[in-house]
Amino acid sequence: MKRDLLLMTAPVRDSFDIPCHEIGPKAAHPAAAFVAGLHGDELNGTFILSRLADFLNGVEAGKHPGLKLLKKVLIIPAVNVLGINLRSRTWPFDKSDMNRMFPGNVSGETTQRIALAVLEATKKAEYRVDLHTSGVDFEELPQVRLYSPSDAQRATARHFGLPAIMERSISPVFTTTLMHAWQVWPGQSFLLRVGQGGTVQLGHCQQVFRGLVAFLGQTGILAGVSLAEGDEEISHFRQGSSKRLYAGKAGTFVSDCQVGRWVRTGQELGYIYDSFSGNVIEKVEAPANGLLTGIRRHPLLFEGDLLLRINPKS
Amino acid sequence: MTQTTETIFSLAMPYRETLDIRRTVYTGGNGPRVAVTAGIHGDELEGLYVCHRLAAWLDELQHSNPQHLLGQVELYPALNPLGLDTLTRSVPVFDSDLNRSFPGSQQGDLPKRLAAAVMTALDGASLVVDIHASNIYLREIPQVRINSEFSDLLVPLAEQANLDLIWIHGAATVLEATIAHSLNSRNVPCLVVEMGVGMRLTPDYCEQLTVGLLHLWQELGVLAPEVVLPPLTHHPLVADDSNVHYLNAQTSGLFVPATAHWTDLRRGELLGTIVSPFHGAVLSEVRSPVDGILFTLREYPLVYEGSLMARVMARKGGAR
């Protein structure tokens, strides 16, 4: 069922809403809450969650015999509705980052009011998942991000079946994010990073869609899910294990490497060309043995831009 | 006394060009070093003009009484040159707020490296003043914003800066990745000035601050005591989290102010209206919640539900 999280007026357009899906048995609070599109250019998450809503609505309509939703699920495919429509990462009116507006404020800025509505709808869920991509310049291997997690959270993170689980500390810069606002509530919170902004990457989206269904199965929210035999390799990387390579030279970066490959120290992963002369000015080589968990996709490089991230096997 | 313009940071861009951060340095004796930074947000121009006014004053001093510069003055008018060049608040391409990138790092992308270079350049300064010009939406009376963590040191300095307001923020609202917080944490005193409005110059405010900075520098021993300065004309009121009231729009439309910026208001007094361009009726009346003084006033008329239209400071000890 579609519900409006909040209705707001606009100066010269019609009033607008931030819609969500509520699917499954009636309950005071959802068992699982999924949020995407806090940034209007992160299309993988919005696509995945809209497809998940379609799938779960199908389950409710009896289109998937053998599957049954036992608990309520809340899905917000996009928080930054105007940003999606205008292809803007930020809230288009005042260019504010909607993931820096939490915990929100009922009488504050527009984006703080929206943030509060999102937090109120999701904070009491047992499991909360916020989907992001990288920016439009960089591609992330589909991964679960954990922030100073408990052991229980580490275990639950495996239910997504994604190739990498990466731990991070909470930076003081990010105290106004949805993830941070969730952490004070009982229950478990997860951030998924999936691919690159500005596009829908079908392979990544399918992998994460299967991951979310598996997660709902493993957590007992969706009954009847036949789970994979566990042959998917999941690598768990503790905080500080990432090896990052930054561009030593500016220019044009070209690489045909795919994220999710295991690479060896010294392996050639791409080239930097002088954008004017066309000369190769740097061969980009893997700085360590490990899993390629992220790589630069925009070809134009400023000196110092992040080229790639490798996580050694722990 | 010497004057030089030098590059403190240089970084290669994708196609041939480099990004350079430049500063102008006036060197007199071995007295204290002071600095002014501006243009960290590409849509804020007031600080650039203050740097020009200070440079003009120092040029004149170099001509007339060069021995009166006892220390060193550094002007960094354009910390975000790509943003300033392109009417962009953030750092273009990186789409990141440079004033959320401090203290930066030697490793990493342009905003981080730039921030680290600025931190290195400012290390050891006796006073840094970072000048901001609000944004394109709101007009601000000349003011200093101070984090309560550093108020003991900074408030006495701010009181001499010829400004109208000192706003002390609680520790909970601290933005740790700003240049000011990073400098103050490293024992380099840094005052944040907010004044005027984005994408515009307010020459009167710039002159007011210029006079204040010269007085501060004289007090710190950067300028000789015998230098005769224009008199201080403003003494600040003090605001904190307890007496600042925010007026956010109850509905969307065009905000039309009914009163001038920096005026006294009575509780309930009409401050402005929100109207619709489609209809003749007034959608919302905006009234002052307290007896106080209007120190922030919306400049960009369109408002969304929630947009900030004004801030009113209740007079301390007055009706709340």
Side-chain angles (χ1 to χ4, degrees), chain B residues 297-317:
Chain B
L297 182 60
R298 191 161 184 94
E299 181 85 8
Y300 185 76
L302 268 182
V303 290
Y304 260 80
E305 196 175 324
S307 294
L308 187 64
M309 299 171 294
R311 281 186 281 241
V312 178
M313 178 185 56
R315 288 195 181 275
K316 284 274 191 184

Side-chain angles (χ1 to χ4, degrees), chain B residues 9-45:
Chain B
F9 175 76
S10 192
L11 184 130
M13 299 209 279
Y15 192 90
R16 288 178 60 82
E17 296 182 304
T18 58
L19 167 74
D20 292 332
I21 303 296
R22 296 187 302 154
R23 69 175 177 189
T24 298
V25 181
Y26 290 87
T27 306
N30 294 322
R33 278 175 62 211
V34 289
V36 175
T37 57
I40 207 166
H41 293 134
D43 59 352
E44 300 182 19
L45 306 176

Side-chain angles (χ1 to χ4, degrees), chain B residues 53-303:
Chain B
R53 294 299 302 140
L54 290 166
W57 190 90
L58 288 161
D59 287 349
E60 171 58 27
L61 186 71
Q62 188 169 13
H63 178 70
S64 58
N65 285 304
Q67 74 284 4
H68 285 171
L69 182 64
L70 306 180
Q72 181 167 310
V73 175
E74 300 168 3
L75 305 176
Y76 302 78
L79 289 185
N80 178 8
L82 295 176
L84 288 159
D85 270 7
T86 56
L87 290 85
T88 311
R89 184 173 178 81
S90 60
V91 182
V93 176
F94 298 88
D95 200 21
S96 66
D97 186 332
L98 184 57
N99 207 23
R100 301 291 178 277
S101 304
F102 283 83
S105 72
Q106 310 285 348
Q107 287 276 296
D109 59 17
L110 184 160
K112 290 198 186 72
R113 290 184 187 211
L114 199 168
V118 171
M119 289 298 292
T120 302
L122 294 172
D123 190 41
S126 298
L127 178 66
V128 177
V129 176
D130 182 35
I131 304 175
H132 289 258
S134 183
N135 53 39
I136 61 167
Y137 303 102
L138 302 167
R139 174 171 286 278
E140 298 284 1
I141 199 73
Q143 61 195 266
V144 175
R145 295 194 182 164
I146 293 174
N147 168 1
S148 58
E149 204 180 322
F150 307 112
S151 60
D152 291 350
L153 174 70
L154 297 181
V155 169
L157 290 168
E159 282 172 340
Q160 304 169 62
N162 205 34
L163 301 176
D164 295 288
L165 181 69
I166 296 174
W167 186 359
I168 300 169
H169 289 268
T173 55
V174 171
L175 296 166
E176 302 202 12
T178 61
I179 184 172
H181 192 271
S182 301
L183 287 169
N184 283 313
S185 300
R186 294 187 185 180
N187 299 315
V188 177
C190 179
L191 292 175
V192 178
V193 172
E194 276 284 4
M195 63 178 198
V197 64
M199 291 195 184
R200 296 286 180 272
L201 292 185
T202 314
D204 288 350
Y205 289 176
C206 295
E207 294 301 335
Q208 183 183 337
L209 176 60
T210 299
V211 170
L213 293 178
L214 294 175
H215 276 271
L216 267 174
W217 294 350
Q218 190 169 46
E219 191 69 27
L220 290 168
V222 179
L223 299 176
E226 55 268 39
V227 176
V228 179
L229 297 172
L232 294 173
T233 46
H234 295 254
H235 192 74
L237 301 172
V238 178
D240 58 34
D241 295 339
S242 73
N243 68 334
V244 172
H245 297 259
Y246 293 68
L247 283 85
N248 295 77
Q250 289 190 341
T251 189
S252 303
L254 284 170
F255 171 72
V256 185
T259 182
H261 190 202
W262 198 237
T263 41
D264 277 305
L265 294 168
R266 306 299 300 175
R267 181 186 172 136
E269 189 174 333
L270 189 71
L271 195 154
T273 53
I274 299 175
V275 299
S276 161
F278 292 103
H279 309 289
V282 170
L283 300 176
S284 176
E285 289 187 335
V286 185
R287 293 182 179 277
S288 179
V290 285
D291 288 348
I293 185 160
L294 178 65
F295 73 95
T296 302
L297 182 60
R298 191 161 184 94
E299 181 85 8
Y300 185 76
L302 268 182
V303 290

Side-chain angles (χ1 to χ4, degrees), chain A residues 188-267:
Chain A
Q188 296 184 11
S189 307
F190 301 94
L191 193 145
L192 306 190
R193 299 258 294 178
V194 183
Q196 178 185 0
T199 181
V200 168
Q201 294 163 296
L202 204 51
H204 291 334
C205 291
Q206 287 167 339
Q207 182 175 30
V208 173
F209 177 88
R210 286 193 303 271
L212 296 182
V213 173
F215 181 85
L216 290 172
Q218 293 268 19
T219 52
I221 294 168
L222 181 62
V225 179
S226 56
L227 299 163
E229 297 84 59
D231 56 350
E232 295 221 35
E233 190 181 354
I234 300 173
S235 303
H236 192 119
F237 302 112
R238 293 295 171 112
Q239 190 186 324
S241 71
S242 299
K243 305 275 183 225
R244 292 179 179 80
L245 184 65
Y246 297 96
K249 301 266 171 52
T252 300
F253 174 63
V254 177
S255 167
D256 57 6
C257 270
Q258 300 302 310
V259 292
R261 298 283 165 81
W262 291 89
V263 297
R264 309 175 310 278
T265 306
Q267 186 177 332

